[in-house]
Amino acid sequence: MNVLTPLDPARHPFLTGKPKRLLIDGKWVEAVSGKTFDTLNPSTGALLASVAEGDAEDINRAVAAARHAFNGPWRKAKPFERQNLLLRLADLVEQNFEELAALDTLDMGAPISRTRGNRLRVLGMLRFYAGQATAIHGETIENSLPGDYVSFTLKEPVGVVGAIIPWNAPLASTVWKLGPALATGCTVVLKPAEEAPLTALRVAELCQEAGVPPGVVNVVTGYGETAGAALAAHPDVDKVAFTGSHLTGQKIVQASAGNLKRVSLELGGKSPDVVFADADLDAAVPGAGMAVFANSGQICSAGTRLFVEQKIYEEFTARVAVYGKTLRVGNSSDPDTQVGPLVSPEQLDRVTGYLAIGRQEGARPLSGGERLTQGAMAQGFFVPPTVFVDVRDEMRIAQEEIFGPVISAIPFTDVDEVIERANQTNFGLGSGVWTRDVGKAHQLARSLRAGSVWVNCYQAMDPAVPFGGYKMSGYGREGGKQHVEEYLNVKAVWIKTG
Ligand code: NAD
């Protein structure tokens, strides 16, 4: 097959195929309301597909199916069976990877070089969770009761999981929710983001092909305020695994109160990236640049608050601005594109709104700073890599998540000062440090209040390494053994043997 074929929406096998319905109890069904919504190609603004618009009634059906499946034979599936299922799914994702990467690119606008580049990570996730399926174990615990008692713990799947994901990395987000759920024996109702719902539907097809039993994985596409809210509030959902903005995260927590369901939250950030004058600047310039420009800044842990030591501030920010200008901005389907469009007109308004706010606050764009409208870009939602200088800590562009390719560069003079200022944020997801001084590297690694600290690199990720937030970036971890624990209950068993 010509590897480039799927990048043409008119020839992509999933886009030209059947209507985009909901997966409930192993069947592809229309929404009860019969309504659909449109998803667009952000590079061209053109309609990509119409998708079933699920709402509360569909969520009810899907949760009932997930509960039924949880109480059925799936509850007795051995760890080895769940492992094999995940390995089969991984193989199918691998075989269909080009198609899935193209779907992510067409639906959310990430450059094809990036979505193809996610291959090892996505497959690694599925195979990591396959391994975790056979690594679940309780403990035998010595107790001090008089008489003869044996006490031990069992780990049990938490039950029906409502998984709500954002649009910025549809394939990876889908896999990051399904992997631990299937590994532990939970069942899932997945609600993808309305901006980019297609990849989750295609992965659901592959789940069926892999042999996931009916009702174990259900997918309800629809809007957050209707389908998402109904899932978060549903009394028969045992856990909500949410990835998205902190504002929605707060609503999820409120909605969860009805049945006190478990909640894990992977939220946004305003991550500091600290560059010391002693750093390898040739590495730090592209490193700090791509910490924000990758995926057009639509990455939760993007290093958007760039703290630069005063004595190199002017030179370094100028170099990052020049670096940003060298990146090729354009249609995501072009293999040479390094920076694609923003996902939607709404996201374009949000980011250009912050560009205006930055200027009003007195910050100065060294590069970028305006929407791109030349030629074919006028139809898409393009903002170029932007570097703001003269930024002060209290400015909104230094405190609020923009979710666009926008760096807010702030000078600092010494280590203790930058630690304090870097921590002055409501968020705590990622953080970066660029230095050749191992002492400084350790000091910052311990002092920064964030779930990840990257030293002389940024956004290094591995399925075995936990990822998650401090403060308003959420709680719970994805990746690593910790992630699997989030999908398990611990039961203590006592047996009187005397
Ligand atoms: P969002 O919060 O607007 O939407 C996320 C999901 O929640 C979507 O599926 C949406 O339909 C749903 N939703 C919206 N309102 C809801 C409600 N009232 N009840 C239930 N569900 C609702 O976020 P977004 O714009 O899709 O994604 C961008 C945000 O996600 C950014 O803040 C980004 O930092 C964050 N994010 C975090 C991580 C992480 O791992 N920490 C990863 C990716 C994205």
Side-chain angles (χ1 to χ4, degrees):
M1 184 172 67
N2 175 358
V3 289
L4 296 180
T5 302
L7 281 167
D8 175 358
R11 296 170 69 196
H12 189 288
F14 186 69
L15 293 171
T16 50
K18 17 187 197 312
K20 309 299 170 266
R21 298 187 171 130
L22 316 175
L23 178 63
I24 297 179
D25 206 12
K27 295 176 209 67
W28 292 95
V29 295
E30 302 292 351
V32 171
S33 67
K35 287 201 249 174
T36 60
F37 66 99
D38 292 341
T39 181
L40 307 180
N41 178 347
S43 291
T44 62
L47 173 71
L48 207 53
S50 293
V51 181
E53 186 189 323
D55 61 19
E57 281 196 82
D58 304 291
I59 290 291
N60 286 342
R61 291 195 291 165
V63 172
R67 174 61 61 194
H68 184 70
F70 184 71
N71 292 334
W74 175 245
R75 187 70 193 82
K76 297 206 165 57
K78 298 286 181 200
F80 192 52
E81 293 171 56
R82 302 199 303 271
Q83 180 175 64
N84 277 338
L85 198 59
L86 275 162
L87 290 174
R88 277 201 299 279
L89 180 59
D91 290 345
L92 285 167
V93 168
E94 187 164 27
Q95 285 157 27
N96 293 278
F97 196 82
E98 175 64 20
E99 187 196 322
L100 290 163
L103 211 47
D104 261 12
T105 288
L106 291 169
D107 206 10
M108 73 73 53
I112 188 67
S113 55
R114 179 179 174 82
T115 54
R116 282 182 182 143
N118 273 341
R119 181 188 174 93
L120 282 181
R121 185 170 158 226
V122 167
L123 296 173
M125 284 176 182
L126 285 166
R127 291 175 177 141
F128 171 78
Y129 292 108
Q132 292 296 304
T134 53
I136 296 166
H137 55 82
E139 296 172 302
T140 308
I141 303 163
E142 294 302 318
N143 64 74
S144 304
L145 288 192
D148 295 328
Y149 292 87
V150 174
S151 46
F152 61 95
T153 58
L154 295 175
K155 296 280 179 74
E156 298 185 336
V158 79
V160 175
V161 174
I164 304 177
I165 57 173
W167 44 261
N168 65 327
L171 178 58
S173 297
T174 299
V175 161
W176 243 9
K177 300 295 186 224
L178 297 184
L182 294 174
T184 51
C186 291
T187 58
V188 190
V189 177
L190 175 69
K191 210 298 280 169
E194 49 272 44
E195 293 85 350
L198 299 176
T199 310
L201 294 173
R202 179 68 185 118
V203 172
E205 283 186 351
L206 296 177
C207 285
Q208 289 187 298
E209 207 177 321
V212 173
V216 171
V217 170
N218 307 273
V219 181
V220 178
T221 45
Y223 289 103
E225 300 71 28
T226 49
L231 188 56
H234 202 289
D236 206 23
V237 169
D238 298 297
K239 169 190 164 75
V240 169
F242 174 73
T243 303
S245 65
H246 74 284
L247 294 173
T248 309
Q250 288 171 326
K251 291 184 192 163
I252 301 272
V253 171
Q254 282 161 1
S256 72
N259 68 338
L260 292 174
K261 58 174 69 67
R262 271 164 76 165
V263 176
S264 53
L265 300 172
E266 293 286 340
L267 309 179
K270 192 72 190 175
S271 301
D273 195 9
V274 180
V275 182
F276 288 96
D278 65 26
D280 173 354
L281 299 185
D282 291 343
V285 167
M290 282 316 265
V292 179
F293 304 146
N295 216 28
S296 296
Q298 301 168 125
I299 298 183
C300 48
S301 50
T304 46
R305 282 188 306 146
L306 181 61
F307 287 95
V308 185
E309 195 164 346
Q310 180 75 65
K311 54 188 162 198
I312 58 160
Y313 181 76
E314 214 172 301
E315 174 207 341
F316 189 81
T317 51
R319 285 184 64 184
V320 176
V322 169
Y323 171 76
K325 285 183 194 167
T326 65
L327 297 174
R328 281 182 298 274
V329 183
N331 190 311
S332 317
S333 297
D334 180 339
D336 291 331
T337 291
Q338 293 165 295
V339 177
L342 300 168
V343 70
S344 63
E346 292 76 21
Q347 190 63 17
L348 180 66
D349 285 350
R350 177 189 169 93
V351 174
T352 50
Y354 273 108
L355 295 177
I357 290 168
R359 276 200 207 81
Q360 282 155 20
E361 287 180 318
R364 186 163 53 91
L366 275 189
S367 58
E370 302 276 356
R371 177 187 178 185
L372 296 174
T373 52
Q374 307 85 299
M377 283 203 257
Q379 269 68 54
F381 318 128
F382 292 92
V383 169
T386 296
V387 176
F388 269 122
V389 290
D390 302 340
V391 178
R392 295 186 311 278
D393 293 333
E394 68 280 8
M395 289 181 176
R396 285 182 65 190
I397 60 163
Q399 290 297 330
E400 296 174 19
E401 185 180 43
I402 299 173
F403 227 50
V406 184
I407 288 178
S408 301
I410 309 168
F412 72 91
T413 47
D414 77 65
V415 180
D416 292 334
E417 171 214 329
V418 77
I419 290 171
E420 193 184 326
R421 290 171 63 197
N423 284 334
Q424 274 169 12
T425 161
N426 291 332
F427 298 107
L429 192 57
S431 59
V433 183
W434 298 86
T435 180
R436 286 191 171 100
D437 179 334
V438 73
K440 270 188 215 159
H442 275 284
Q443 188 181 354
L444 267 81
R446 286 178 186 275
S447 309
L448 292 174
R449 297 199 61 214
S452 297
V453 183
W454 289 290
V455 179
N456 296 331
C457 60
Y458 207 89
Q459 255 140 21
M461 303 274 279
D462 185 277
V465 179
F467 178 83
Y470 281 34
K471 301 193 268 181
M472 287 184 78
S473 292
Y475 41 79
R477 290 292 177 268
E478 296 204 310
K481 285 181 294 193
Q482 291 85 345
H483 195 187
V484 176
E485 296 294 330
E486 310 261 348
Y487 288 71
L488 293 168
N489 272 327
V490 183
K491 179 183 277 177
V493 182
W494 291 85
I495 300 180
K496 190 165 187 211
T497 54

